[in-house]
Amino acid sequence: MPYRRGSFALTPPSMVIFVIALVLALFAMLAHYTHASVPLLASSHSFDALAIAFVVLTIGVLFRGV
């Protein structure tokens, strides 16, 4: 059941979207704080990966069925 606030209907994200956002965020934090070598993610681009994870999660909440 979506939560309605004005014209927005917020829904929980699907499990797939949540896991994708969580994995991206964990990789970004791992690359930034431990300077670990993460494939396809340089330490200098960890904020970009974290921002992408947040956008993916936001899309999952705002759009129904995603």
Side-chain angles (χ1 to χ4, degrees):
M1 175 174 233
Y3 172 74
R4 289 211 171 267
R5 178 81 180 189
S7 63
F8 283 125
L10 302 177
T11 58
S14 67
M15 185 58 77
V16 173
I17 293 294
F18 179 74
V19 169
I20 289 171
L22 183 66
V23 168
L24 281 173
L26 287 176
F27 279 165
M29 290 178 11
L30 184 70
H32 180 74
Y33 290 117
T34 65
H35 301 287
S37 172
V38 179
L40 301 176
L41 179 63
S43 179
S44 62
H45 295 292
S46 61
F47 180 78
D48 298 337
L50 192 60
I52 290 170
F54 183 74
V55 167
V56 166
L57 192 57
T58 302
I59 288 171
V61 169
L62 291 178
F63 295 107
R64 187 176 302 171
V66 176

